[in-house]
Amino acid sequence: MRKRAAAAEAPARTSRLVPPAGPQRVLALAQLSNSVGDGAYYVTSALYFTHVVGLAPARVGLGLTIAWAVGSVVGVPLGRLADRRGPRGTAVLLALATSLAVASFLVVRGFVPFVLAACAYATAQSGLAAARQALLAGLVSRQERTGLLAHLQSTLNAGLAVGAGLGGLALHAGTQAAYLTVFALDAASFLLCAAVLLRLPAVEPAHARAGVAREHVKGGTPGVLHDRPYAVVTLLNTVLLLRMPLLSLGIPLWIAERTEAPTWLVSALFVLNTGAVMLFQVRMARGVTGAASATRAVRRSGLVMLASCAVFALSAGVSPWVAVGLLTVGAMLQVVAEMQQSAGSWQLSFDLAPADRVGEYQGFFGTGVTVARTLGPLVLTALLVGWGTPGWLLLGGLMLAASYAMGPAVRWATAGGPVAPRVRQPVPAN
């Protein structure tokens, strides 16, 4: 009876905006601390690098592309380091490294130093993300992970919103001192993040927790690079993550180039997306408890994303206020698809990873974010600005195909892989 009562209460706990006290709340506080600094960084970095550092916009783009490419490659070995040496200590060191990398932006004044600092920043950020996921896996039961990740996503959006407001004040001031203050704030936020992470209990290395002999993982190529089913799941998720630059680039360009809607709508849609994720991501993740429910969530996200793209496509060639209405509906559908896809992918990324290599596998899965952010602007610009309505429909069809292909890929992965055994759960047929 007690077990049934606990199970019945689980959804109620998951639906709260604030995670339970203990390690879950500390992880959320760490997320909040550095996301405020990141929010300020995101809205001011482009102008800082061009106006203060003195770089041409094309060079800024090239440098950041190189940096995130390096970061995506290094994320796997850094995640493996967290598995071997312990995730808490690794996460703390990488938070400190991120702080130092951001602080170095305060003094760089040339292209080569900028690229080196950006590579350090991207590397530390990628490794920190993998180490934090490994830390979460060591502190939270498998059944609670997706719910906690939903809390962390809501916390992330709240922090980014606060940070963006602070960055907006710096943009309004427009002085070098204001920009330098923002970067100093971001560096300090990662110092605070490291201090908060130290409040968490120490977690044994993943190999020790899984009872795997250390010799099993010594030397050779990281196991994730030999795990073809997991690689396919990661690739399909990367396709679905093309929605990430949609709100920051694709939709603003579409509004400006192809519709009669006012440009202020770009900001309104951003607020709509951020607020919806803050309020409803936890509730949206409540029903995702295993590989089967995660696959269904991803599949539903593909259908909703196709509908969103179709509505966005209809906003061209109509009156301004009709366009505003259609774009708002499209954005509402897009954020629903985003929350469904996020919840499903979080669950799959953990369930399909061997227990002794969580950090390594999370480092690899996280490369999808980097690839989407790097290639997404090129793909979305070509499809939406170049092709218009057919481009929207092609994008929606691509998302739908990737979401439906996830089912066979997950069944392949749960059938067994070349490394440590996985959690096996039935996955519904498409």
Side-chain angles (χ1 to χ4, degrees):
M1 292 295 292
R2 290 180 179 178
K3 289 185 178 179
R4 289 183 181 178
E9 291 173 1
R13 289 196 300 269
T14 305
S15 64
R16 296 187 309 183
L17 291 178
V18 179
Q24 295 194 38
R25 191 167 296 176
V26 175
L27 285 168
L29 182 59
Q31 179 79 286
L32 179 64
S33 63
N34 72 259
S35 63
V36 171
D38 273 347
Y41 167 86
Y42 291 149
V43 300
T44 59
S45 58
L47 291 179
Y48 174 81
F49 293 136
T50 54
H51 292 179
V52 177
V53 179
L55 300 175
R59 285 202 149 194
V60 173
L62 175 61
L64 293 178
T65 299
I66 294 172
W68 284 110
V70 171
S72 66
V73 172
V74 179
V76 174
L78 288 177
R80 193 181 186 196
L81 178 67
D83 291 333
R84 286 187 170 185
R85 301 299 181 185
R88 189 190 70 165
T90 305
V92 169
L93 289 175
L94 288 170
L96 294 174
T98 307
S99 177
L100 288 174
V102 174
S104 70
F105 286 132
L106 295 170
V107 295
V108 299
R109 291 295 181 271
F111 179 67
V112 173
F114 162 71
V115 172
L116 294 176
C119 286
Y121 172 78
T123 296
Q125 280 273 49
S126 297
L128 177 59
R132 286 167 89 157
Q133 297 291 68
L135 180 60
L136 182 151
L139 292 171
V140 180
S141 68
R142 184 178 64 83
Q143 293 79 7
E144 296 176 303
R145 288 174 188 168
T146 297
L148 175 56
L149 284 165
H151 280 298
L152 295 181
Q153 185 69 16
S154 297
T155 302
L156 172 67
N157 275 35
L160 291 176
V162 173
L166 296 175
L169 295 177
L171 292 176
H172 178 71
T175 64
Q176 179 173 333
Y179 288 123
L180 292 175
T181 300
V182 164
F183 275 72
L185 171 67
D186 195 21
S189 74
F190 279 97
L191 288 178
L192 178 59
C193 173
V196 173
L197 290 173
L198 281 173
R199 294 175 53 191
L200 292 167
V203 175
E204 284 187 312
H207 307 311
R209 294 199 312 272
V212 179
R214 193 170 292 275
E215 289 78 9
H216 176 71
V217 294
K218 280 187 177 179
T221 306
V224 68
L225 300 182
H226 289 300
D227 193 338
R228 286 178 292 177
Y230 197 87
V232 171
V233 170
T234 300
L235 175 62
L236 293 173
N237 188 64
T238 301
V239 174
L240 296 173
L241 287 175
L242 289 175
R243 52 133 181 109
M244 294 184 66
L246 192 62
L247 194 65
S248 61
L249 179 70
I251 293 175
L253 289 177
W254 174 258
I255 290 174
E257 301 291 333
R258 294 277 187 163
T259 77
E260 300 298 323
T263 54
W264 56 258
L265 187 63
V266 172
S267 177
L269 295 183
F270 182 85
V271 173
L272 171 66
N273 180 277
T274 304
V277 173
M278 288 171 56
L279 294 175
F280 301 112
Q281 179 68 80
V282 174
R283 182 175 299 177
M284 192 70 70
R286 187 168 50 189
V288 178
T289 57
S293 54
T295 305
R296 288 193 295 270
V298 171
R299 192 163 57 238
R300 286 195 299 269
S301 77
L303 288 168
V304 178
M305 195 66 204
L306 176 62
S308 172
C309 290
V311 173
F312 279 131
L314 292 174
S315 63
V318 296
S319 67
W321 290 109
V322 173
V324 168
L326 289 170
L327 289 165
T328 302
V329 172
M332 293 171 64
L333 291 170
Q334 186 269 330
V335 74
V336 170
E338 173 186 336
M339 291 187 288
Q340 291 174 330
Q341 184 268 329
S342 294
S345 65
W346 294 332
Q347 185 76 35
L348 293 175
S349 71
F350 279 106
D351 277 6
L352 302 181
D356 63 319
R357 294 178 178 238
V358 174
E360 178 185 332
Y361 271 61
Q362 287 298 315
F364 182 75
F365 198 79
T367 61
V369 175
T370 304
V371 172
R373 284 177 172 169
T374 303
L375 298 181
L378 298 175
V379 174
L380 294 181
T381 301
L383 288 179
L384 307 185
V385 179
W387 291 14
T389 297
W392 275 113
L393 299 179
L394 180 57
L395 177 64
L398 183 64
M399 298 281 194
L400 182 66
S403 68
Y404 268 75
M406 192 67 82
V410 172
R411 285 197 296 274
W412 182 22
T414 53
V419 291
R422 314 168 190 276
V423 176
R424 300 191 181 194
Q425 297 184 26
V427 181
N430 287 325

